[in-house]
Amino acid sequence: TENTKNQVMKSISTMRFEIKNIWKVGLILLVTAAILSCSKEDKPEMEASLLADSSQELILGKWYFSVTSNGDASACETQSYYYFTDTQTLEYQLVIDDFGIGIGVSGYELIGDCYVSPVTSINYTLNTANEIQFLNEYGDTITLKIVSINETTLVFTKGTLDETAIYILTKEL
């Protein structure tokens, strides 16, 4: 009976060891599969599409300028905004400084120390390259390249290869 008891204990100990090994092997396989399935090289065009989809959702709302190509936005410039709707409509109003020179800006109204443009409403597109495109009031195609976007901050560049400006906007909450 003592022999039987020792054999049973030895069998239980062996089974515990085998179960531990099975769990270790299973865990290693699971981690390996997870790492291999997360490769970004699989479908870059799909990732670009997903990024554009998330940008389309994040861009909705009213965005105020906080940094312009000249540095921190002035008190006037912080009143400038882009308002993106889910119907692909962009409403915007630009506000610039008077600088005390008293020279009017065509189409803008002087309010205090700021020249304020009329509110403009136009259609825009957001392509898979994360570029917002629209025609301005003069018929020129404007392209804003989204550098980064989250729930509160939109960073984009505007310009040509020779002259590109970076803008940072903050979302109205």
Side-chain angles (χ1 to χ4, degrees):
T1 63
E2 188 65 36
N3 260 349
T4 307
K5 194 178 194 183
N6 284 339
Q7 286 177 343
V8 168
M9 291 303 274
K10 195 174 185 181
S11 294
I12 291 173
S13 177
T14 303
M15 286 175 54
R16 283 185 186 162
F17 179 73
E18 288 175 6
I19 290 173
K20 282 182 185 178
N21 282 340
I22 291 171
W23 277 106
K24 285 180 185 177
V25 170
L27 183 60
I28 290 170
L29 289 174
L30 182 64
V31 169
T32 303
I35 290 171
L36 293 176
S37 69
C38 291
S39 172
K40 289 188 175 189
E41 300 299 319
D42 290 345
K43 298 192 183 218
E45 67 281 347
M46 185 174 167
E47 288 201 11
S49 173
L50 291 174
L51 180 60
D53 288 345
S54 68
S55 294
Q56 182 62 51
E57 293 171 19
L58 289 171
I59 202 164
L60 299 178
K62 199 171 198 177
W63 297 86
Y64 286 92
F65 286 70
S66 57
V67 175
T68 69
S69 58
N70 299 322
D72 287 344
S74 68
C76 290
E77 291 170 324
T78 59
Q79 298 173 56
S80 296
Y81 68 85
Y82 284 142
Y83 179 59
F84 296 92
T85 71
D86 58 357
T87 60
Q88 302 274 290
T89 301
L90 167 61
E91 180 182 285
Y92 67 93
Q93 183 172 46
L94 303 178
V95 183
I96 59 175
D97 294 292
D98 174 28
F99 297 113
I101 56 176
I103 299 175
V105 178
S106 178
Y108 284 60
E109 179 182 353
L110 182 61
I111 300 175
D113 292 334
C114 305
Y115 282 103
V116 181
S117 75
V119 174
T120 303
S121 184
I122 55 174
N123 292 325
Y124 75 93
T125 59
L126 176 61
N127 62 31
T128 57
N130 261 0
E131 295 173 333
I132 302 164
Q133 294 186 319
F134 58 90
L135 295 177
N136 68 8
E137 63 271 20
Y138 307 108
D140 300 321
T141 299
I142 305 297
T143 300
L144 311 176
K145 173 69 177 159
I146 296 175
V147 176
S148 68
I149 187 169
N150 61 35
E151 290 82 8
T152 59
T153 306
L154 167 62
V155 179
F156 67 83
T157 59
K158 176 183 172 189
T160 63
L161 292 176
D162 297 332
E163 189 177 324
T164 301
I166 296 177
Y167 296 88
I168 301 174
L169 284 69
T170 306
K171 193 171 199 175
E172 177 182 69
L173 299 176

